[in-house]
Structure formats: structure tokens, C-alpha cells
Amino acid sequence: MTMQAVNAMSYEEFLDVFGNIIEKCPLITAAVWSNHPFSSVNEMEECVYEFIDSLPSSGKEGILRCHPDLAGRELTSGSLTMESQQEQRQAGLTSLTSGERETLGLLNSQYKTKFGFPFVICAKMSDKYKIMEELCSRLQNDPSQELLKGIEEVKKICHLRVQELSRSVELTTKL
Ligand code: GUN
């Protein structure tokens, strides 16, 4: 599929393919379709990032709140999105010891109590040790710093999801 094919997509098709590049936020994909045609995938991603940056803090917090806890309830119950499931598995979060699961659960809940949104990190660029280390360290941040950091991670996750989609829908190098 070429960029030309992406640009020819109806918004319904565009949403079907790119609807979860920001976890459980298809509204962002739907909004970004207004900017088509795109000259490249990078330009499409930039539109997503600009949209996110233009949101007030409550909107950015909302995006973070759409993310499930790492190694949380949804992982156990099998109700994660396909993308999140794959990312968490790749980071080793599906094979935690019960002690590790308990520690991560405690840290996640301390984090949410302090900031009012879940800890988001680009799990695919991490592993269970780094995730716990980062959680401990980011717990020390102040809320405005942490909002920025969380959104930075959301953008990294988005970038990898777009890359993955580009491969799986065989978007050519023309992208
Ligand atoms: N990093 C990559 N995917 C996810 C996710 O679904 N939730 C959180 N919290 N972090 C992630």
C-alpha cells in the first residue's frame, strides 16, 4: 500500500487501519484525517503530535488515562488491545514472577495516586527491570514534569505502532 493509497482512504478505512496508534484514542486519528493528503508517514505522525500538543493539560491527561496499567488487570483478563498486549509481552510483562507482579502493582498504584493518571512508558523500548526502575524514578517527578514525560512516551509508542502498521500493511518505501 502506497501513501497514495493511504490518502485515498475514506475516514472509515483510515480509522480501521490507524485508529489505535494512540491507545484507545481513535478520536485523534479521526481528527488527523482532516489534514490529508499527507506527503509522507512522517507528516501524518507530525499531525498527530501537533494535535496532542495543542490539547490543554486535561486533554493530555485524558490520553494517558486511556492507557492500561502495565501488567495490570487487563493483561490478566486478556482484555488489552492487540497492540498493548504485544508491547507488554515483548517487554516481558507476561512472564513476571508473582513478586514482580505485586511490586509493579504497588508502584503503579502509588503512581496513580500521586498523579491521577497511569504510568506510561514505551514498553517496546524497555524491559521489566527498566520499567520498574523508571517507575521508581519518575514517582519523584512533579506532576507537570510527569505529564510531559508521559506524553513523550505516548509519541514513542505511536511512532512504533505506525512503523509496525507500515510493515504489516506493506506500505512501500514511498512512504
Ligand atoms: N507502553 C506501551 N504500551 C503501553 C500501554 O498500553 N500502557 C502503558 N501504561 N504503557 C504502555
Side-chain angles (χ1 to χ4, degrees), residues 23 64 66-70 80-81 83-85 87-88 108 118-124 153 157 161:
E23 179 75 10
L64 296 177
C66 287
H67 287 70
D69 283 348
L70 290 173
L80 286 173
T81 61
E83 293 87 349
S84 183
Q85 169 76 33
E87 289 155 2
Q88 298 204 37
N108 270 335
F119 173 74
V120 175
I121 186 168
C122 182
K124 242 181 167 166
E153 295 297 313
I157 297 168
R161 288 184 181 185

